[in-house]
Amino acid sequence: MSTFGTHFRVTTFGESHCKGVGCVIDGCPPGLALTEDDIQPQLTRRRPGQSNLTTPRDEKDRVTILSGTEFGHTLGTPIGLTVPNQDQRPHDYTETDLFPRPSHADWTYLLKYGLKASSGGGRASARETIGRVAAGAVAEKFLKEAYGTEFIAFVSSVGKVAMPFIEEQSETGVPSEEFVEMLSTVTREQIDAEATRCPDKEISKKMTQRIIDAKEANDSIGGTVTCVIRNVPTGLGEPCFDKLEAKLAHAMLSIPATKAFEIGSGFGGTQVPGHLHNDAWVQKTGRKGQKFLGTKTNFSGGIQGGISNGENIYFRIGFKSPATISQEQQTTSYGGVEGVLATRGRHDPCVVPRATPIVEAMAALVIMDAVMIQLARHGAASLLPPMPETPLRPAPFIMSVPGGQAIKVDETSKPKTE
């Protein structure tokens, strides 16, 4: 389906070579200050033609808000966002009329729908993610203003060239203290300073060369993107089937070219005994001096029992090498005749540098939807007579950011910040 979310619902539309792409957002709270300037930066970070490491397709990806706002604020009604396609070249895809591209979606779309877009990747193209990024920017702004939540994604490996923490974890099974500290401090400015979107300058140089080598060979290479979500409200996630990590995995694996997802210690954590892997509870002091429970380590990745515990949420996504390459490939036509496919077109030799804002956007959509669900639950509960307080049930609250602000429900069931 083309719709994601339950309370904050996003429907994307458009194909790679149609007149335009975009999305409709349903469920955005009213009163959020919102203009195109709030959305454009993330689309600009995603757009093609940024450097010699990406596809040369020249799209400006300028967004227009069609509906859902007035005088620069959201109305609470559906928000329509659109971005025109301006640099399509359908004639570059005539070969795919005869041959389905190896490892691409040409054949499977034909099997499912009985026809497919005649050029480009249709809905399987990364152009579809423009709607996701636009909607994610709206969700991200709300969460930043309401809770101070931040979404930071960066390239952690290209091929076998990887940031040191990946090799370190392969040896120890758990993330290092240096890596966990970096997750708390790394910024988008540091990440965007490198064309690879890797904040480690020395590793970035090696990644750049690896991508250039693939490009010059008319080939492609894959990589991984690591994402951290900071200042996450507690209590998010819907056990048992919509646990927060399950929703994040769903979101990330819906992005084109993704092949793997791990959260917290991930697969490395399977090698570590429980007494070393368990995150012990400790009392921490917040920015305003208040005491709260946190974890000494964060191998869980900020989620336990499918519910956010207030620590940083971090995860890593694996992206395969792009399927469309300009080498001749021995394959078979739609009619079953063996032949050679030599594709043209303009394609990324590696998708991970441009994938970082897509990952951030999908993470923001997951957290935004979870926040809306939790607010609805506690808003409804606030209409009931209060239950007596017990040591295991303190005064009711909706959610809080440890060390930051708490959101409570008053007698009118409207959230307020304290």
Side-chain angles (χ1 to χ4, degrees):
M1 304 296 289
S2 294
T3 299
F4 185 83
T6 55
H7 287 49
F8 190 88
R9 292 170 60 86
V10 176
T11 300
T12 67
F13 62 83
E15 294 83 39
S16 57
H17 286 183
C18 69
K19 291 184 178 181
V21 293
C23 70
V24 175
I25 305 170
D26 203 0
C28 183
L32 176 68
L34 185 70
T35 68
E36 284 89 348
D37 290 340
D38 296 309
I39 301 169
Q40 191 59 52
Q42 283 293 78
L43 289 175
T44 299
R45 295 179 74 225
R46 194 221 72 93
R47 78 174 188 88
Q50 297 180 36
S51 71
N52 65 339
L53 304 183
T54 67
T55 170
R57 179 169 173 170
D58 186 18
E59 297 280 1
K60 305 307 179 188
D61 288 349
R62 295 293 181 187
V63 66
T64 298
I65 300 177
L66 298 177
S67 64
T69 66
E70 187 176 48
F71 306 124
H73 288 78
T74 57
L75 294 169
T77 54
I79 300 171
L81 304 173
T82 184
V83 171
N85 287 331
Q86 298 176 318
D87 191 27
Q88 311 98 309
R89 294 183 185 176
H91 56 273
D92 284 347
Y93 293 84
T94 53
E95 293 89 349
T96 62
D97 291 340
L98 302 175
F99 295 94
R101 286 169 289 180
S103 287
H104 211 289
D106 297 332
W107 179 237
T108 51
Y109 264 66
L110 191 61
L111 288 173
K112 182 173 183 64
Y113 297 106
L115 72 167
K116 71 174 187 69
S118 62
S119 65
R123 287 291 284 168
S125 167
R127 291 295 290 170
E128 177 272 332
T129 63
I130 286 175
R132 305 175 187 225
V133 173
V138 177
E140 186 178 336
K141 181 169 189 192
F142 176 90
L143 293 166
K144 180 70 173 178
E145 293 188 3
Y147 304 106
T149 309
E150 298 177 320
F151 301 84
I152 307 292
F154 57 90
V155 173
S156 44
S157 69
V158 170
K160 294 183 178 180
V161 180
M163 293 180 68
F165 76 84
I166 293 179
E167 183 176 349
E168 291 167 0
Q169 185 173 349
S170 68
E171 296 175 358
T172 64
V174 293
S176 66
E177 292 183 5
E178 292 77 12
F179 169 64
V180 173
E181 175 63 24
M182 185 200 72
L183 292 180
S184 296
T185 59
V186 67
T187 66
R188 281 187 184 170
E189 289 73 22
Q190 292 172 326
I191 293 164
D192 288 349
E194 301 294 324
T196 60
R197 295 252 164 79
C198 172
D200 186 316
K201 293 183 180 296
E202 292 305 312
I203 298 298
S204 179
K205 292 178 183 178
K206 296 178 182 179
M207 289 179 176
T208 297
Q209 189 57 54
R210 182 64 187 89
I211 296 172
I212 291 175
D213 288 346
K215 183 178 180 180
E216 291 178 346
N218 292 324
D219 210 340
S220 63
I221 190 66
T224 63
V225 171
T226 296
C227 182
V228 59
I229 314 173
R230 302 192 288 239
N231 298 324
V232 184
T234 58
L236 304 183
E238 301 299 313
C240 290
F241 297 109
D242 287 339
K243 294 178 179 180
L244 194 57
E245 67 263 53
K247 297 298 287 186
L248 285 168
H250 175 185
M252 298 307 146
L253 293 176
S254 73
I255 299 172
T258 52
K259 286 296 180 185
F261 174 87
E262 65 176 8
I263 188 165
S265 61
F267 289 103
T270 64
Q271 307 167 22
V272 181
H275 75 280
L276 296 176
H277 189 270
N278 288 344
D279 294 319
W281 294 104
V282 295
Q283 190 174 69
K284 295 183 177 181
T285 303
R287 295 191 297 270
K288 298 181 180 180
Q290 72 274 39
K291 303 294 185 180
F292 65 94
L293 276 185
T295 58
K296 185 177 181 179
T297 53
N298 187 20
F299 302 146
S300 301
I303 301 174
Q304 292 167 327
I307 302 169
S308 61
N309 63 13
E311 301 290 341
N312 289 344
I313 294 174
Y314 63 95
F315 49 87
R316 190 158 64 112
I317 312 101
F319 289 80
K320 69 173 183 174
S321 304
T324 304
I325 58 177
S326 296
Q327 288 186 13
E328 291 188 350
Q329 299 178 81
Q330 190 71 34
T331 185
T332 301
S333 71
Y334 289 105
V337 179
E338 292 186 0
V340 176
L341 172 64
T343 57
R344 291 171 290 165
R346 298 155 297 170
H347 308 283
D348 291 277
C350 181
V351 300
V352 289
R354 291 177 56 215
T356 53
I358 306 171
V359 168
E360 292 166 351
M362 293 307 298
L365 294 180
V366 170
I367 300 300
M368 183 67 184
D369 199 40
V371 163
M372 299 281 284
I373 293 171
Q374 188 73 340
L375 287 171
R377 169 181 288 111
H378 283 273
S382 71
L383 301 176
L384 300 173
M387 294 176 62
E389 293 186 21
T390 70
L392 294 180
R393 188 186 180 279
F397 64 92
I398 288 186
M399 58 193 74
S400 65
V401 180
Q405 57 190 348
I407 306 300
K408 294 188 178 181
V409 174
D410 62 16
E411 65 278 3
T412 62
S413 75
K414 294 181 179 179
K416 64 181 181 181
T417 300
E418 294 187 352

